[in-house]
Amino acid sequence: EMGPAAAAAAPGARGAGRNRRLQQPRGYKSRKVQLLHKVASELRYQAFSEVNLIAHARVPLIKFKDPQTGVNCDVCVGNDGVYKSACLGAMANLDSRYRDLVFLVKMWAKNFDCNDATAGSFNSFALSLMSLFHLQTRSPPILPPAMRLTLQNDAAADADLAAENERAANLEPIRKFPVSKIRQQSDALRDIGPVEQRARRWENCGAANDATLAELLVTFFTHFRAVEPLWRHGLVASAYAGRWVAGSAWAPGRYCLGVEDPFAAGDNVARAVQRRSLPKVLAAIRDGTLAMARVAWAETDEDLERALFNLLGPGASPEREMTNAGWPTLGGSGGGDALAPPTLGGGPGPGPGPGHGHGPP
């Protein structure tokens, strides 16, 4: 047996000490909840509507609605949402189709009642990442893998991709695998400045893909509908690698759906989907696919309006005038700019350029 001095000097003990120092202090979550209680009281005093404090969530938050604009808002304390939103904003600045697709996907999710994580479906971040992943996996790709922006250099990204390719080639049973040190270091930095600098190298990277927003919305549904039987076998949508992966940093079978957080290794943003709510979520994707087919085959304006209403809800009516005021953004550089209403029949966002989807210009 080792004495106290020897145990303290052991490498494992030093590592354990570092891990303890990285953990949140005891009572950290309860202090956040106390602060959120005060914020919720102030929101109610200021006449915001539907103020709801969700204290027992993995990340405690307040959900409320702005009575003037009708916009649903979330407030949380001490998480990395600002960095993640800025990274998505850097992606959105590369191709305007991303912002528009996210907007339409969120309209669909709201219309089919699968946009509430507290009820066992997707949260807003998960829908944004699913839209990003869909654009990353087009042929040619419209947006790059998130690792190309978050990792410090291309060599680091190539190394992580090589490790993933080796796992796929070995055809081993799906299992939990460790997160690379390269990615752990990248996740810990959380510095948006270098991310935006690296993003500039990918400007016009999707110019070679001329898919319209309507086509991308169609393939969004057919894409996720096609893999429905594979979720239970450990399939994961990885926006970090920009590809489907088998296995992840969490244990196989732990979650019903796998959508990896590209900015926090080991975090599944679709973890709220449980066995009791999975049939409803999968049915919403199937029904969205059928509703999109009705849009594509509409023969008259009345048929088109009815089909859009069935797919996206009342906000999709062509007769409704939509202004830029109060439209949501993804954050990041340029994220404060108002979104223009998406045009289903429009062409790709960026103009033609020398870049292509497989690598920086």
Side-chain angles (χ1 to χ4, degrees):
E1 295 182 2
M2 293 188 298
R14 289 197 299 270
R18 284 195 298 270
N19 291 336
R20 284 193 296 270
R21 287 195 295 271
L22 292 174
Q23 293 175 355
Q24 298 289 2
R26 184 173 299 176
Y28 178 72
K29 184 174 181 178
S30 63
R31 289 199 296 271
K32 289 198 296 184
V33 172
Q34 292 173 6
L35 177 58
L36 288 174
H37 270 293
K38 296 179 181 179
V39 174
S41 298
E42 182 64 20
L43 288 171
R44 295 187 184 100
Y45 178 77
Q46 296 294 336
F48 285 90
S49 60
E50 301 179 22
V51 179
N52 181 24
L53 171 60
I54 305 175
H56 299 292
R58 182 173 178 269
V59 177
L61 77 159
I62 302 171
K63 301 177 76 70
F64 65 96
K65 179 180 289 188
D66 184 342
Q68 296 183 351
T69 63
V71 174
N72 293 312
C73 306
D74 295 348
V75 171
C76 55
V77 177
N79 83 329
D80 48 10
V82 174
Y83 169 77
K84 294 179 180 181
S85 181
C87 289
L88 291 183
M91 282 286 192
N93 290 336
L94 297 178
D95 196 300
S96 63
R97 287 173 289 182
Y98 177 40
R99 273 194 174 95
D100 292 344
L101 181 62
V102 169
F103 186 85
L104 293 175
V105 167
K106 288 185 177 181
M107 289 182 69
W108 156 76
K110 181 178 181 180
N111 188 41
F112 283 82
D113 194 26
C114 61
N115 66 334
D116 184 0
T118 62
S121 59
F122 299 117
N123 59 28
S124 178
F125 187 46
L127 295 170
S128 297
L129 289 182
M130 291 169 67
S131 302
L132 171 62
F133 176 78
H134 181 60
L135 298 186
Q136 292 171 331
T137 51
R138 298 305 84 209
S139 180
I142 295 175
L143 291 174
M147 64 165 61
R148 296 293 181 184
L149 272 60
T150 58
L151 297 187
Q152 296 182 8
N153 51 60
D154 286 339
D158 292 340
D160 250 16
L161 276 178
E164 175 55 42
N165 290 335
E166 182 178 357
R167 282 192 294 269
N170 288 337
L171 298 178
E172 296 179 353
I174 295 176
R175 57 182 176 82
K176 178 179 178 180
F177 56 79
V179 179
S180 68
K181 292 183 179 180
I182 298 172
R183 186 173 181 185
Q184 291 179 29
Q185 294 169 355
S186 172
D187 289 347
L189 288 176
R190 304 207 174 283
D191 187 356
I192 188 57
V195 171
E196 292 176 335
Q197 291 177 4
R198 288 188 284 270
R200 296 190 189 103
R201 301 173 52 206
W202 292 86
E203 290 179 355
N204 296 325
C205 64
N209 189 319
D210 60 357
T212 65
L213 181 59
E215 292 169 337
L216 292 173
L217 188 59
V218 169
T219 53
F220 174 87
F221 290 112
T222 57
H223 190 185
F224 286 100
R225 172 70 179 88
V227 300
E228 178 180 322
L230 302 178
W231 291 117
R232 64 177 180 270
H233 296 296
L235 187 69
V236 175
S238 173
Y240 173 75
R243 53 175 288 182
W244 293 104
V245 298
S248 58
W250 56 81
R254 182 177 180 183
Y255 302 111
C256 295
L257 295 180
V259 180
E260 184 185 26
D261 187 341
F263 315 115
D267 192 4
N268 179 13
V269 299
R271 60 183 175 272
V273 180
Q274 304 294 326
R275 293 186 184 279
R276 59 179 174 78
S277 59
L278 179 63
K280 177 181 178 180
V281 171
L282 296 180
I285 297 176
R286 290 194 296 266
D287 293 343
T289 307
L290 295 174
M292 192 68 224
R294 297 187 189 101
V295 172
W297 291 101
E299 296 182 353
T300 66
D301 290 344
E302 290 77 13
D303 290 342
L304 176 61
E305 181 174 355
R306 190 180 303 110
L308 286 172
F309 183 90
N310 290 336
L311 175 65
L312 303 175
S317 173
E319 297 178 357
R320 178 181 177 183
E321 174 128 9
M322 292 191 281
T323 64
N324 288 342
W327 282 60
T329 66
L330 288 175
S333 177
D337 300 334
L339 287 179
T343 303
L344 282 176
H356 55 82
H358 296 285

